[in-house]
Amino acid sequence: MASPISAGSSGTRKIAIMIAGRIGLAFVTLFLVSLIVFAISDLLPGDAAQEALGQSATPAQVAALRHEMGLDRPAHVRFGGWITGLAGGDAGTSLVANMPVGEIISQRLPNSLLLAAFTALVSVPLALSIGIASAMNRGGRLDRALNIATLSMVALPEFLVATLAVLIFSVHLRWLPSISMVPEDAGWGEMFQSFAMPVGALTVVVVAQMARMTRAAVVDQLDRPYVEMALLKGLSRRAIIVSHVLPNAVGPIVNAMALSMSYLLGGAIIVETIFNYPGLASLMVNAVTSRDMPLLQACAMIFCSVYLLLMLIADVVAILANPRLRTA
Amino acid sequence: MADGSIFSRREMLGGGLALTAGGLLVPEGAIAATQSLPRRGGRIRAACMSLSTADTLDPAKGALSSDYVRHFMLYNCLTELDRRLRPIPSLAESIVSKDQRLWYIRLRKGITFHNGKALTSADVVYSLLRHKDPATASKLAAIAEQFVAIRANGPLELTLQLEGPNADLPTMLAQSHFAIVPAGEKAFTSGNGTGPYRLAVFSRGVRTVGRRNENYWKPGKPYLDEIELIGIPDEVSRVNALLSGDIHMALAVNPRSTRRVSASPGHVVRETPSALYTNLIMRQDQLPTSNPHFAAGMKYLMDRPLIKRALFRNYATIANDHPIPPFHPYFRSDLPQTALDLDKARWHLQRAGIGRTRVPVYASPAAEGSVDMASIVQEYGAKVGLNVAVNRVPADGYWSTHWMKHPLGFGNTNPRPTADLVFSLFYKSDAAWNESGWKNPRFDRLLLEARAEGDHARRKQLYGEMQGLVRANCGVSIPVFISLIDAYDRRLKGWYPVQLGGFMGYTFAEHLWWEG
């Protein structure tokens, strides 16, 4: 990240302006998303009071609970109250659990972040190596083998991968636990054991996408005249890839990675379900079924912010890495 | 000294329990009887079907199986049910009435809550009356409406006056919702009850951990040191977790998974015959199902042994078109069993006069097994000239949009603790869930009479007549009762089936022990 300084102050300012603009837009997006989520969930049959009381509820009970939860107010009042609270840093109180949303989220968010971080740590280097290796051997045996491997990984649904992994590694071999409930005082060994399969299953899902994008971007650059020029100058292939091709290809690669990473947070629901991992995605599904609006909104806001943040990082990295975007 | 004598007394009691358990249930005979003396110690992990942010420590709000388990771990009720579903005293030392309307309750002496406070009648008054407050959001508010007045007559005595006579009060009070909490408790964050386990960890949607209550009032009990309760919503994951040793008991195992569990030497499938059923509903206020010949014909179309074998892998009990299962104390055994009879079905359906008109039947995964049952009815219907069309609709929203709304559809009913409850909720003429909409004044009269009747034999006679009325006249066909299937680690001992639910009717916490 030393490059912007050398690129001159105009480049730095440009990036600063872009980031500021993006953050502004992000707030608009967040507002719209919250509005849409609120509107859609308001259309769902039943509300938190009915869901909480179940079939045997008496009308008096439902009315009383609705009043207590504030559900008898009109929709725009509820939305307004929620969003002003959020602006002041208060995400509200969960209707179902009767405790601050922030507290519930703070129990789950670290779990999700940890899972995503471990997966990123494994999958990003793996995807990069696969993509670059197959691009460099384009048409060769390695390329074809890796192509088949990544294509089949894309085709394999994660519930199949995860279930097979459980059958093999926990039921038959008994090496790994089938459910990932990491105790708070877990050591590194225990941590590794609990995370091995969820991280593995998620890696299978995201690595293929990233590797194929990497390969495509690198191949695209390899066809360019400047690569031929570099070859004629006598540069080694390794040097060409590292110092010439990658900086130019990094934009689409980072973009693909940002998309995959954002999936790791909100899209991990299947892996969370199979391994019974207490993450944020299952919390959000829970919030939908119990019609717990404040919790649902908070989850939606988190997923949306992370997505926007990752996209912003991807764009900034692409600009910083590419001299033409930097100074243009 | 004192400790030693208590210990030996506990051993004696434990031995007595084990003998009855061995005599009744354990086929391994003498070996089992000598080996299954309850012993203390062990930590286990039990998995229910689901946990959510709605998990609660408030017994009145219990909605999921995991809530019931948690509440039976932490609290006690005034009564509890023995293995034949008869109410026996628990926190109440005695609960008696002359007219089944005014009940006298005397509490056991010397019982304390986990925080050391002594149990008094004020706690009971508070715990029962709060169900009538809409703000409590009690699941049993409708039942609690019968409580007209509850008064403390002394520190350990109280009277409970009902709106009308109800001989089932002691049974109803054994439901986890009516567990006794300390007077004034509103926050429900500490799980402070009189139950066998103290709350150690409670994390909504993640886990509940209970540690043995050393001051528990039942001598010797509970046996396990610690129980961790988690939820694994995915059935395959639940079975895998059991087989890989991560959990020691799994609630609600699919019949298709039972072979996998049985194949494992360390695990065992436990079947609990229950009154759970999926039934065909023939609305009595819509055509063509309101024709009595139609309902009669459909009942003859049910191939009950096939449904039992193919749909539930024999984990089911054949039913006779009424909601009382054969193992129920009030079951009437002299009613002839309806069986598949195509000739009789054809005769009745011809009398119903529908001809080749297409008759749609609504089925959904929401009512367990209903889609396959509908296909069976369609298959046999074709043989007798009935043109049934199966409409499979999604589970989401089935109960609000489809259930009881079509002439021909399916319902699903959970076990209820008393015959009175299932008849009142689903068969009384003016019940909100009178699924078929049948109206039978004689049935309604018998229901009220049986509720007020204190004599067991007379009640059995009344409930028997009601079973006959439902079987012959009601627009409901119940082919089988579906068994509940749990899977256990073999080292967990002391299990027996309680028909109200899996995990010994959710009360396993104080009954099981670990032999590891």
Side-chain angles (χ1 to χ4, degrees):
Chain A
M1 296 286 162
S3 39
I5 297 153
S6 61
S9 60
S10 78
T12 326
R13 200 182 312 130
K14 236 174 135 161
I15 290 175
I17 291 173
M18 191 205 76
I19 293 179
R22 283 296 195 82
I23 291 176
L25 273 178
F27 279 107
V28 177
T29 316
L30 281 175
F31 175 75
L32 290 177
V33 166
S34 68
L35 202 61
I36 293 171
V37 171
F38 187 85
I40 292 180
S41 47
D42 216 44
L43 289 179
L44 290 173
D47 59 19
Q50 279 175 319
E51 288 300 322
L53 290 167
Q55 265 193 320
S56 57
T58 61
Q61 273 186 305
V62 177
L65 194 60
R66 251 187 214 144
H67 183 71
E68 197 192 309
M69 289 175 166
L71 295 172
D72 49 355
R73 298 172 300 162
H76 62 271
V77 177
R78 275 182 285 139
F79 184 73
W82 174 77
I83 201 134
T84 46
L86 190 69
D90 174 20
T93 306
S94 158
L95 298 180
V96 175
N98 228 340
M99 55 198 271
V101 166
E103 208 174 301
I104 302 179
I105 299 247
S106 68
Q107 292 171 358
R108 299 292 194 100
L109 186 61
N111 290 340
S112 277
L113 290 178
L114 205 60
L115 183 63
F118 280 143
T119 311
L121 224 56
V122 174
S123 59
V124 168
L126 190 64
L128 276 179
S129 339
I130 293 177
I132 294 172
S134 70
M136 284 172 72
N137 295 285
R138 187 162 28 139
R141 243 181 235 171
L142 180 70
D143 182 29
R144 269 181 285 165
L146 287 175
N147 253 332
I148 291 173
T150 50
L151 271 178
S152 24
M153 276 155 92
V154 169
L156 275 182
E158 59 212 282
F159 58 82
L160 182 68
V161 178
T163 312
L164 283 179
V166 169
L167 275 183
I168 295 168
F169 294 109
S170 14
V171 176
H172 287 292
L173 298 175
R174 297 229 172 180
W175 290 350
L176 299 169
S178 67
I179 45 177
S180 289
M181 303 187 70
V182 192
E184 268 141 39
D185 51 349
W188 280 104
E190 264 182 272
M191 284 274 265
F192 173 77
Q193 282 198 332
S194 321
F195 275 107
M197 280 199 293
V199 167
L202 281 174
T203 301
V204 169
V205 179
V206 293
V207 92
Q209 194 79 17
M210 292 193 288
R212 292 193 65 76
M213 279 305 284
T214 307
R215 180 186 178 278
V218 171
V219 161
D220 180 49
Q221 294 296 322
L222 284 176
D223 288 338
R224 297 293 172 89
Y226 74 86
V227 175
E228 206 172 336
M229 180 67 199
L231 258 179
L232 292 176
K233 263 194 337 192
L235 280 181
S236 70
R237 283 172 60 81
R238 182 180 299 266
I240 293 174
I241 295 276
V242 172
S243 55
H244 293 284
V245 170
L246 271 187
N248 279 298
V250 87
I253 295 179
V254 174
N255 234 309
M257 287 183 176
L259 275 176
S260 299
M261 292 301 115
S262 62
Y263 173 83
L264 286 182
L265 208 56
I269 177 69
I270 294 172
V271 167
E272 281 184 19
T273 305
I274 291 179
F275 296 105
N276 221 41
Y277 188 79
L280 213 51
S282 48
L283 187 70
M284 185 170 179
V285 172
N286 228 313
V288 176
T289 48
S290 59
R291 308 284 189 265
D292 192 347
M293 218 55 74
L295 186 58
L296 172 61
Q297 288 280 31
C299 291
M301 290 299 97
I302 289 176
F303 292 143
C304 188
S305 324
V306 168
Y307 180 83
L308 292 169
L309 184 71
L310 284 169
M311 285 297 139
L312 180 63
I313 292 174
D315 286 352
V316 171
V317 168
I319 290 172
L320 292 179
N322 191 323
R324 277 177 305 166
L325 290 176
R326 200 158 60 207
T327 51
Chain B
M1 281 281 285
D3 273 346
S5 68
I6 286 172
F7 190 63
S8 61
R9 187 160 56 94
R10 280 173 181 162
E11 292 251 281
M12 299 259 292
L13 275 166
L17 273 176
L19 276 178
T20 46
L24 274 176
L25 299 149
V26 188
E28 289 101 316
I31 308 160
T34 52
Q35 281 187 346
S36 39
L37 288 169
R39 57 172 85 166
R40 284 191 154 206
R43 299 172 161 206
I44 65 154
R45 198 189 257 166
C48 289
M49 280 177 285
S50 56
L51 292 181
S52 78
T53 45
D55 289 351
T56 177
L57 293 172
D58 180 352
K61 288 198 177 76
L64 300 173
S65 49
S66 49
D67 289 328
Y68 307 149
V69 171
R70 186 182 310 113
H71 298 155
F72 279 125
M73 267 163 78
L74 303 171
Y75 306 102
N76 291 116
C77 297
L78 287 178
T79 55
E80 58 189 58
L81 300 180
D82 69 2
R83 57 184 76 194
R84 295 229 44 215
L85 295 190
R86 285 169 306 209
I88 51 173
S90 180
L91 289 184
E93 196 175 66
S94 71
I95 168 163
V96 290
S97 173
K98 282 195 201 89
D99 57 359
Q100 324 335 314
R101 186 195 289 262
L102 191 60
W103 291 81
Y104 297 92
I105 301 169
R106 167 182 279 279
L107 300 178
R108 232 174 259 275
K109 216 186 287 178
I111 292 178
T112 55
F113 286 96
H114 295 158
N115 69 354
K117 186 186 118 46
L119 170 81
T120 65
S121 47
D123 302 312
V124 178
V125 172
Y126 175 79
S127 302
L128 296 183
L129 278 184
R130 60 191 291 271
H131 291 267
K132 296 186 68 166
D133 179 2
T136 305
S138 164
K139 290 280 192 252
L140 295 190
I143 292 179
E145 273 172 19
Q146 301 176 38
F147 304 160
V148 178
I150 308 173
R151 267 184 310 272
N153 301 339
L156 294 175
E157 279 156 62
L158 58 149
T159 50
L160 197 167
Q161 192 188 344
L162 296 179
E163 201 176 24
N166 191 335
D168 284 326
L169 181 75
T171 307
M172 295 194 308
L173 290 177
Q175 295 179 81
S176 68
H177 301 86
F178 287 131
I180 304 305
V181 300
E185 176 71 70
K186 282 208 165 69
F188 289 101
T189 49
S190 60
N192 181 25
T194 57
Y197 290 83
R198 289 167 189 270
L199 188 69
V201 181
F202 176 57
S203 171
R204 284 188 175 80
V206 184
R207 76 181 85 200
T208 305
V209 179
R211 300 232 165 83
R212 193 219 321 267
N213 174 9
E214 297 291 352
N215 298 325
Y216 192 46
W217 57 275
K218 289 190 190 178
K221 284 191 167 185
Y223 308 116
L224 296 162
D225 287 338
E226 191 178 288
I227 297 176
E228 179 177 358
L229 180 70
I230 61 169
I232 307 182
D234 184 48
E235 193 263 347
V236 177
S237 302
R238 205 155 58 236
V239 172
N240 283 336
L242 179 80
L243 295 183
S244 59
D246 293 316
I247 59 170
H248 305 102
M249 36 197 299
L251 187 74
V253 169
N254 195 301
R256 285 187 294 278
S257 305
T258 51
R259 231 179 272 169
R260 281 186 67 205
V261 176
S262 310
S264 159
H267 299 94
V268 58
V269 172
R270 307 255 201 224
E271 177 187 7
T272 305
S274 88
L276 168 74
Y277 63 81
T278 292
N279 56 318
L280 181 68
I281 300 167
M282 295 159 272
R283 292 292 302 178
Q284 297 301 296
D285 48 8
Q286 297 181 36
L287 286 169
T289 46
S290 58
N291 188 314
H293 280 294
F294 184 89
M298 294 306 272
K299 288 175 187 178
Y300 283 118
L301 274 188
M302 287 287 175
D303 188 345
R304 292 156 216 256
L306 176 71
I307 291 172
K308 177 181 171 181
R309 194 176 65 241
L311 270 57
F312 302 106
R313 310 241 163 162
N314 285 327
Y315 288 103
T317 314
I318 302 258
N320 201 10
D321 299 326
H322 65 74
I324 305 298
F327 38 79
H328 195 284
Y330 292 134
F331 175 72
R332 180 172 159 192
S333 53
D334 63 343
L335 278 177
Q337 172 69 50
T338 310
L340 176 71
D341 189 329
L342 293 181
D343 292 331
K344 282 185 183 158
R346 189 180 293 114
W347 186 85
H348 280 295
L349 289 169
Q350 273 166 5
R351 293 287 174 295
I354 3 173
R356 292 295 298 165
T357 318
R358 201 167 151 276
V359 183
V361 54
Y362 286 81
S364 161
E368 189 182 354
S370 66
V371 178
D372 294 325
M373 279 182 205
S375 306
I376 291 175
V377 168
Q378 183 185 36
E379 192 70 19
Y380 284 109
K383 290 186 188 169
V384 299
L386 182 71
N387 184 9
V388 174
V390 179
N391 285 4
R392 187 199 154 118
V393 292
D396 191 49
Y398 179 77
W399 303 110
S400 50
T401 40
H402 295 289
W403 181 49
M404 304 188 354
K405 298 249 184 343
H406 305 290
L408 202 54
F410 281 93
N412 179 270
T413 297
N414 284 325
R416 309 280 155 165
T418 64
D420 177 61
L421 276 174
V422 69
F423 280 138
S424 312
L425 287 170
F426 294 93
Y427 296 90
K428 195 161 178 274
S429 299
D430 58 358
W433 301 333
N434 178 1
E435 291 180 306
S436 70
W438 81 316
K439 303 234 178 312
N440 193 314
R442 168 103 188 123
F443 176 90
D444 295 349
R445 251 195 333 272
L446 289 169
L447 181 65
L448 293 183
E449 195 185 329
R451 190 184 291 164
E453 179 60 60
D455 178 54
H456 179 82
R458 174 73 186 135
R459 283 193 111 189
K460 182 163 182 161
Q461 199 183 349
L462 295 170
Y463 284 128
E465 188 181 345
M466 288 155 74
Q467 289 162 48
L469 289 174
V470 171
R471 173 182 173 274
N473 305 315
C474 185
V476 152
S477 176
I478 304 170
V480 295
F481 295 104
I482 305 165
S483 294
L484 309 168
I485 313 170
D486 301 335
Y488 288 77
D489 192 303
R490 274 189 193 277
R491 289 167 289 184
L492 271 172
K493 307 282 183 188
W495 180 89
Y496 56 84
V498 178
Q499 291 143 22
L500 291 179
F503 280 5
M504 305 176 74
Y506 312 113
T507 65
F508 75 89
E510 73 169 56
H511 299 301
L512 294 185
W513 67 91
W514 179 254
E515 251 176 50

Short mmCIF file of all heavy atoms in Angstrom, two decimals, chain A residues 28-55:
data_model
loop_
_atom_site.label_atom_id
_atom_site.label_comp_id
_atom_site.label_asym_id
_atom_site.label_seq_id
_atom_site.Cartn_x
_atom_site.Cartn_y
_atom_site.Cartn_z
N VAL A 28 -27.10 5.26 1.91
CA VAL A 28 -28.34 5.26 1.14
C VAL A 28 -28.78 3.82 0.87
O VAL A 28 -29.94 3.45 1.07
CB VAL A 28 -28.16 6.03 -0.18
CG1 VAL A 28 -29.43 5.98 -1.00
CG2 VAL A 28 -27.77 7.47 0.10
N THR A 29 -27.81 2.98 0.44
CA THR A 29 -28.13 1.58 0.15
C THR A 29 -28.68 0.89 1.39
O THR A 29 -29.69 0.18 1.33
CB THR A 29 -26.86 0.84 -0.31
OG1 THR A 29 -26.17 1.66 -1.24
CG2 THR A 29 -27.22 -0.48 -0.95
N LEU A 30 -28.00 1.12 2.53
CA LEU A 30 -28.44 0.48 3.77
C LEU A 30 -29.87 0.88 4.10
O LEU A 30 -30.69 0.05 4.50
CB LEU A 30 -27.51 0.86 4.92
CG LEU A 30 -26.18 0.10 4.96
CD1 LEU A 30 -25.30 0.65 6.06
CD2 LEU A 30 -26.43 -1.38 5.17
N PHE A 31 -30.15 2.17 3.91
CA PHE A 31 -31.50 2.64 4.22
C PHE A 31 -32.52 1.93 3.33
O PHE A 31 -33.54 1.42 3.81
CB PHE A 31 -31.57 4.15 4.03
CG PHE A 31 -32.96 4.70 4.21
CD1 PHE A 31 -33.50 4.84 5.48
CD2 PHE A 31 -33.73 5.06 3.11
CE1 PHE A 31 -34.79 5.32 5.65
CE2 PHE A 31 -35.02 5.55 3.28
CZ PHE A 31 -35.54 5.68 4.54
N LEU A 32 -32.20 1.88 2.02
CA LEU A 32 -33.13 1.23 1.09
C LEU A 32 -33.31 -0.24 1.44
O LEU A 32 -34.42 -0.77 1.44
CB LEU A 32 -32.63 1.39 -0.35
CG LEU A 32 -32.71 2.81 -0.89
CD1 LEU A 32 -32.14 2.89 -2.29
CD2 LEU A 32 -34.18 3.27 -0.91
N VAL A 33 -32.18 -0.90 1.75
CA VAL A 33 -32.27 -2.33 2.08
C VAL A 33 -33.15 -2.53 3.32
O VAL A 33 -34.02 -3.41 3.34
CB VAL A 33 -30.86 -2.92 2.31
CG1 VAL A 33 -30.95 -4.28 2.97
CG2 VAL A 33 -30.12 -3.03 0.99
N SER A 34 -32.94 -1.70 4.32
CA SER A 34 -33.74 -1.87 5.53
C SER A 34 -35.22 -1.64 5.23
O SER A 34 -36.08 -2.33 5.77
CB SER A 34 -33.25 -0.91 6.63
OG SER A 34 -33.54 0.41 6.27
N LEU A 35 -35.47 -0.69 4.34
CA LEU A 35 -36.87 -0.42 3.97
C LEU A 35 -37.48 -1.64 3.28
O LEU A 35 -38.60 -2.06 3.59
CB LEU A 35 -36.90 0.79 3.03
CG LEU A 35 -38.22 1.55 2.94
CD1 LEU A 35 -38.60 2.10 4.29
CD2 LEU A 35 -38.10 2.68 1.93
N ILE A 36 -36.69 -2.22 2.36
CA ILE A 36 -37.21 -3.38 1.62
C ILE A 36 -37.42 -4.57 2.56
O ILE A 36 -38.47 -5.22 2.54
CB ILE A 36 -36.24 -3.76 0.47
CG1 ILE A 36 -36.23 -2.63 -0.56
CG2 ILE A 36 -36.65 -5.07 -0.17
CD1 ILE A 36 -35.17 -2.78 -1.62
N VAL A 37 -36.40 -4.82 3.41
CA VAL A 37 -36.53 -5.95 4.34
C VAL A 37 -37.75 -5.74 5.23
O VAL A 37 -38.55 -6.65 5.47
CB VAL A 37 -35.25 -6.10 5.19
CG1 VAL A 37 -35.47 -7.11 6.31
CG2 VAL A 37 -34.09 -6.52 4.33
N PHE A 38 -37.91 -4.52 5.71
CA PHE A 38 -39.04 -4.23 6.58
C PHE A 38 -40.36 -4.45 5.85
O PHE A 38 -41.28 -5.10 6.36
CB PHE A 38 -38.96 -2.78 7.06
CG PHE A 38 -39.99 -2.42 8.09
CD1 PHE A 38 -39.74 -2.67 9.42
CD2 PHE A 38 -41.20 -1.87 7.72
CE1 PHE A 38 -40.68 -2.36 10.38
CE2 PHE A 38 -42.15 -1.56 8.67
CZ PHE A 38 -41.90 -1.80 10.00
N ALA A 39 -40.43 -3.94 4.61
CA ALA A 39 -41.68 -4.05 3.85
C ALA A 39 -42.01 -5.52 3.57
O ALA A 39 -43.14 -5.96 3.77
CB ALA A 39 -41.56 -3.28 2.54
N ILE A 40 -40.99 -6.27 3.16
CA ILE A 40 -41.25 -7.68 2.82
C ILE A 40 -41.66 -8.46 4.06
O ILE A 40 -42.62 -9.23 4.05
CB ILE A 40 -40.01 -8.32 2.16
CG1 ILE A 40 -39.78 -7.68 0.79
CG2 ILE A 40 -40.20 -9.83 2.01
CD1 ILE A 40 -38.59 -8.22 0.06
N SER A 41 -40.92 -8.24 5.15
CA SER A 41 -41.24 -9.04 6.33
C SER A 41 -42.59 -8.62 6.91
O SER A 41 -43.25 -9.41 7.59
CB SER A 41 -40.14 -8.94 7.38
OG SER A 41 -39.77 -7.60 7.56
N ASP A 42 -43.01 -7.39 6.62
CA ASP A 42 -44.33 -6.98 7.07
C ASP A 42 -45.43 -7.70 6.29
O ASP A 42 -46.55 -7.85 6.77
CB ASP A 42 -44.47 -5.46 6.90
CG ASP A 42 -45.29 -4.84 8.02
OD1 ASP A 42 -45.04 -5.23 9.18
OD2 ASP A 42 -46.16 -4.02 7.74
N LEU A 43 -45.08 -8.13 5.07
CA LEU A 43 -46.05 -8.83 4.24
C LEU A 43 -46.24 -10.28 4.70
O LEU A 43 -47.24 -10.91 4.39
CB LEU A 43 -45.60 -8.84 2.78
CG LEU A 43 -45.67 -7.51 2.04
CD1 LEU A 43 -45.16 -7.67 0.62
CD2 LEU A 43 -47.10 -6.97 2.02
N LEU A 44 -45.24 -10.83 5.43
CA LEU A 44 -45.34 -12.21 5.87
C LEU A 44 -46.57 -12.40 6.75
O LEU A 44 -46.90 -11.52 7.55
CB LEU A 44 -44.09 -12.61 6.67
CG LEU A 44 -42.79 -12.75 5.89
CD1 LEU A 44 -41.64 -12.96 6.86
CD2 LEU A 44 -42.89 -13.93 4.94
N PRO A 45 -47.24 -13.53 6.60
CA PRO A 45 -48.40 -13.76 7.46
C PRO A 45 -47.97 -13.92 8.92
O PRO A 45 -46.93 -14.53 9.20
CB PRO A 45 -48.99 -15.06 6.92
CG PRO A 45 -47.88 -15.72 6.18
CD PRO A 45 -46.99 -14.65 5.66
N GLY A 46 -48.74 -13.37 9.83
CA GLY A 46 -48.44 -13.52 11.25
C GLY A 46 -47.41 -12.51 11.71
O GLY A 46 -46.67 -11.95 10.91
N ASP A 47 -47.37 -12.24 13.00
CA ASP A 47 -46.34 -11.36 13.55
C ASP A 47 -45.71 -12.03 14.76
O ASP A 47 -46.05 -13.15 15.12
CB ASP A 47 -46.92 -9.98 13.89
CG ASP A 47 -48.05 -10.06 14.89
OD1 ASP A 47 -48.16 -11.08 15.58
OD2 ASP A 47 -48.82 -9.09 14.97
N ALA A 48 -44.79 -11.30 15.38
CA ALA A 48 -44.03 -11.90 16.49
C ALA A 48 -44.96 -12.35 17.61
O ALA A 48 -44.73 -13.38 18.24
CB ALA A 48 -43.00 -10.91 17.00
N ALA A 49 -46.03 -11.60 17.86
CA ALA A 49 -46.93 -11.95 18.96
C ALA A 49 -47.61 -13.28 18.68
O ALA A 49 -47.67 -14.17 19.53
CB ALA A 49 -47.97 -10.85 19.15
N GLN A 50 -48.11 -13.45 17.45
CA GLN A 50 -48.78 -14.71 17.11
C GLN A 50 -47.81 -15.87 17.12
O GLN A 50 -48.14 -16.95 17.60
CB GLN A 50 -49.42 -14.59 15.72
CG GLN A 50 -50.74 -13.86 15.73
CD GLN A 50 -51.26 -13.66 14.33
OE1 GLN A 50 -50.51 -13.34 13.42
NE2 GLN A 50 -52.56 -13.86 14.15
N GLU A 51 -46.61 -15.63 16.56
CA GLU A 51 -45.63 -16.71 16.51
C GLU A 51 -45.24 -17.14 17.93
O GLU A 51 -45.08 -18.31 18.21
CB GLU A 51 -44.37 -16.26 15.75
CG GLU A 51 -44.57 -16.13 14.27
CD GLU A 51 -44.97 -17.45 13.61
OE1 GLU A 51 -44.46 -18.49 14.03
OE2 GLU A 51 -45.82 -17.41 12.71
N ALA A 52 -45.11 -16.16 18.82
CA ALA A 52 -44.67 -16.48 20.17
C ALA A 52 -45.76 -17.25 20.92
O ALA A 52 -45.47 -18.14 21.71
CB ALA A 52 -44.31 -15.20 20.92
N LEU A 53 -47.01 -16.92 20.67
CA LEU A 53 -48.09 -17.54 21.44
C LEU A 53 -48.53 -18.87 20.86
O LEU A 53 -49.07 -19.72 21.56
CB LEU A 53 -49.28 -16.60 21.52
CG LEU A 53 -49.04 -15.37 22.40
CD1 LEU A 53 -50.11 -14.33 22.18
CD2 LEU A 53 -48.99 -15.77 23.85
N GLY A 54 -48.31 -19.05 19.56
CA GLY A 54 -48.65 -20.33 18.95
C GLY A 54 -50.14 -20.49 18.71
O GLY A 54 -50.93 -19.56 18.86
N GLN A 55 -50.49 -21.74 18.36
CA GLN A 55 -51.86 -22.03 17.94
C GLN A 55 -52.90 -21.77 19.01
O GLN A 55 -54.00 -21.34 18.73
CB GLN A 55 -51.94 -23.50 17.54
CG GLN A 55 -51.76 -23.75 16.08
CD GLN A 55 -52.17 -25.15 15.72
OE1 GLN A 55 -51.90 -26.07 16.46
NE2 GLN A 55 -52.83 -25.31 14.60
#
